Amino acid sequence: MYPVSPNTVLANALGNAEDVLAPRIHDAKPDRMVFVVGTQINGAPHIGTSLVQSLTFAAAARTRDRYGVPVAVTFGALDNAPYELVTDPVSGHRYQRAYAQALGEQQVSTQVDALYRPMFDALSGATGIPYLVEMYSDQQRSETYRQTWLRLLPRLDACRWWLAPSTGVPHVRVPCPQPGCGWAEKHAERTRVIIEGKERVNVSAQCLHHGPYSGTIGPPHGAYLDLSTLYRNLVKELALSADSRALHVMVKGGDWVFGSNLVDGALQAAGLTQGRLPARLFCPQVVTDTGAKLSKSLIREGRAPLPKGAEPWMLDTRLWSGTTAEYAERMLALAESLFSDPRHFFRSYSAAELGRLMTTAGSRTAA
C-alpha cells in the first residue's frame, strides 16, 4: 500500500524522484557516478540511518538502469563523532573526545564492520551496486583531503561566514597528541592556525589536561585534522570536485536541506562555479508526532519520549526480529514505494507511518 502524499512544487516538476539529478547528469556527462552517504559512528544505527542508506542504493540502481552509467556507493563513517563531552571548570570551554581518539581507530573499524557492513553487504547484493567504506580518520590523512584544505586556507576569509554564521570562525580541532589523551576544544576558542608555506601549517591549541600543544599539518603527514561539520563537508566536496570523470551525488537526510545552503554558499565563495557544485539528493526525514526529527539521543537521554506507534528496533536496528538480509529487503521494498511517485519521496514520515509502510510493502523478493 502506498502512502497518501500531497503535491508540492518540486514533485509537480518531476516525473520520477531521481529526475532531480537529471540536470547535472546531462551537463556533466560523467563516465561514472558515486553516491556518497555518511553517518556519525555513535552506536547502532536507527531507522533514519537505515532509510537513507537503503534509498542511496535504490537511487544508485535506478540511475544506473536509466542512464547506463556505472555507479557505486561510498559510505563515509564519521569516527570523529563526539564520544565524550565535558566542560573545563577553569576556562568554561567545552571539550570533546571523538570515537577515533577514545576507542582507537581499530576498535571503531571493528564496530563499523559489526554494525554497518552486514546491512551494506545485503543492500549491495540485492541491487548489484558495489560500495566502499571510508573512515573519516583515513579521509583526513589522505593527501587529496589535506592538499584541498591547504589550498582552501588562503581563501577561507571569503567563505568563513558561510561555515560559521554566528561567529565567522570555522572550527579546526587538532586533538591533543599525548598518549591516551585525544581531547580537543569543541569550539576551538584557543586554536590558532598559522600558514607556514603552501604545504605546511602549524596549529596550536590548549588541552584539557596537558596545557598548550602544537602540531604541523602537511599533505602526506601531520596532526589529526578534525573540522566542524559544515567545514568538513566543504573540504570533502571540494576534493571530490577535482575528479572530472565522476559525478558525485551527496545523499543526505532531509534535515540537511538548510545546512547544505550554507555549504553551497561556501563552495561558491571559495571559487567553485555553479556548474561544478556537487549534485544532492535529500531523502525523507523520519519525524515524531510533534514534527521534530526522530532522535535516538534525545530519547535515550530521557529528554523525549518514544513516539506513539514507534518500536524499540527503530532506535536500534539490531532489535529487528528478522535477519539482516530480510531487513534490507524490507527497506528496499519501502524504497520502491517512496520512489514510486515524487510526492512520496520529497516529504517527511512519522516513525509510525514508516512502520506501517514497511509492513504493507512486503519484500522485494515476494513482489
Side-chain angles (χ1 to χ4, degrees), residues 323-366:
T323 66
T324 300
E326 292 169 342
Y327 180 63
E329 283 290 329
R330 191 59 62 87
M331 292 300 298
L332 287 173
L334 173 61
E336 287 185 2
S337 296
L338 301 188
F339 270 114
S340 67
D341 191 303
R343 293 177 299 172
H344 302 333
F345 191 88
F346 296 105
R347 53 162 290 186
S348 298
Y349 288 88
S350 69
E353 176 67 359
L354 274 186
R356 183 190 73 82
L357 291 172
M358 286 187 69
T359 301
T360 57
S363 70
R364 296 169 76 246
T365 303

Side-chain angles (χ1 to χ4, degrees), residues 108-365:
V108 175
S109 180
T110 299
Q111 179 175 308
V112 170
D113 288 344
L115 297 179
Y116 292 90
R117 277 195 187 272
M119 180 66 169
F120 272 81
D121 286 342
L123 293 170
S124 177
T127 60
I129 303 295
Y131 78 92
L132 169 72
V133 173
E134 182 178 49
M135 308 294 292
Y136 175 75
S137 290
D138 293 328
Q139 183 185 66
Q140 64 83 31
R141 69 168 61 96
S142 71
E143 185 170 353
T144 298
Y145 189 90
R146 291 182 175 231
Q147 283 183 335
T148 300
W149 182 65
L150 291 169
R151 289 197 300 268
L152 174 66
L153 283 178
R155 308 186 207 175
L156 190 60
D157 191 59
C159 51
R160 63 190 182 95
W161 287 104
W162 290 102
L163 301 176
S166 297
T167 64
V169 183
H171 302 156
V172 177
R173 290 182 288 264
V174 175
C176 176
Q178 290 293 329
C181 187
W183 287 94
E185 278 189 321
K186 180 172 180 59
H187 301 296
E189 293 94 339
R190 292 174 290 188
T191 299
R192 300 292 179 266
V193 178
I194 305 298
I195 300 175
E196 297 183 339
K198 289 184 178 180
E199 296 193 345
R200 180 183 173 91
V201 164
N202 182 270
V203 181
S204 61
Q206 189 84 9
C207 177
L208 175 65
H209 300 296
H210 300 103
Y213 64 95
S214 63
T216 59
I217 297 177
H221 62 272
Y224 192 101
L225 176 62
D226 184 14
L227 306 174
S228 57
T229 303
L230 298 179
Y231 199 177
R232 180 185 70 242
N233 275 264
L234 171 64
V235 176
K236 177 186 73 175
E237 294 178 9
L238 278 171
L240 293 177
S241 71
D243 186 352
S244 60
R245 295 174 299 175
L247 176 62
H248 290 82
V249 180
M250 306 296 116
V251 186
K252 298 180 180 294
D255 56 315
W256 255 98
V257 170
F258 309 109
S260 291
N261 287 333
L262 294 172
V263 176
D264 287 345
L267 285 166
Q268 293 180 77
L272 199 63
T273 63
Q274 180 69 35
R276 293 178 60 203
L277 290 177
R280 303 195 188 279
L281 182 65
F282 297 106
C283 297
Q285 186 173 199
V286 186
V287 298
T288 69
D289 49 2
T290 68
K293 175 185 175 181
L294 180 69
S295 169
K296 63 181 179 181
S297 299
L298 291 180
I299 295 172
R300 289 173 180 174
E301 293 167 4
R303 298 165 59 192
L306 185 68
K308 183 179 179 180
E311 301 291 338
W313 68 263
M314 293 181 174
L315 300 183
D316 184 341
T317 58
R318 293 174 298 181
L319 302 178
W320 171 260
S321 59
T323 66
T324 300
E326 292 169 342
Y327 180 63
E329 283 290 329
R330 191 59 62 87
M331 292 300 298
L332 287 173
L334 173 61
E336 287 185 2
S337 296
L338 301 188
F339 270 114
S340 67
D341 191 303
R343 293 177 299 172
H344 302 333
F345 191 88
F346 296 105
R347 53 162 290 186
S348 298
Y349 288 88
S350 69
E353 176 67 359
L354 274 186
R356 183 190 73 82
L357 291 172
M358 286 187 69
T359 301
T360 57
S363 70
R364 296 169 76 246
T365 303

